[in-house]
Amino acid sequence: MASCEICGEEMLNRVGCKVGICDCNGKSYPRIRFGTEKRFEGVFGDDDCCPDCLAPFESFHHFGCDIEECPVCREAIYGDCECHLVFPDLEGMGEKTL
Ligand SMILES: [Zn+2]
Ligand SMILES: [Zn+2]
Ligand SMILES: [Zn+2]
């Protein structure tokens, strides 16, 4: 099934991503946790999992999740964000660049 391309975790297990940072222009930024997105403020609570990547509340989204926001510009990573984010890869398959 769907496993995360940067941490290798199976998303259906409802666990958060193990990668908590990403890089932009050589600087490291902490990723935005599920439940703290500005465009979903107040929508999700303690018992919720991310509707896209199934990460539990206040944990990190998995790579490719549509809900995740960019920590640099606070826009949707796969939407309006135009930052060049680089995610470290715990699986050793190479860094992922958006
Ligand atoms: Zn992951
Ligand atoms: Zn997610
Ligand atoms: Zn951005």
Side-chain angles (χ1 to χ4, degrees):
M1 293 299 291
S3 58
C4 174
E5 288 180 44
I6 53 174
C7 78
E9 202 65 72
E10 176 57 57
M11 295 183 199
L12 291 177
N13 290 343
R14 295 176 184 264
V15 289
C17 195
K18 288 184 253 180
V19 176
I21 55 155
C22 60
D23 286 359
C24 183
N25 292 324
K27 275 181 69 179
S28 264
Y29 295 86
R31 297 173 69 189
I32 306 296
R33 292 167 187 266
F34 170 53
T36 62
E37 295 81 9
K38 107 180 129 95
R39 70 198 201 286
F40 296 111
E41 212 180 337
V43 172
F44 300 109
D46 281 345
D47 297 331
D48 289 321
C49 284
C50 175
D52 195 33
C53 74
L54 301 178
F57 193 64
E58 292 193 329
S59 63
F60 298 113
H61 295 281
H62 291 289
F63 185 78
C65 177
D66 283 337
I67 308 288
E68 182 167 6
E69 282 180 357
C70 170
V72 183
C73 69
R74 296 303 302 262
E75 299 292 346
I77 284 185
Y78 306 98
D80 290 335
C81 169
E82 293 182 345
C83 307
H84 296 284
L85 299 180
V86 180
F87 291 84
D89 181 10
L90 299 183
E91 288 289 272
M93 294 159 66
E95 293 177 333
K96 294 282 184 291
T97 310
L98 295 184

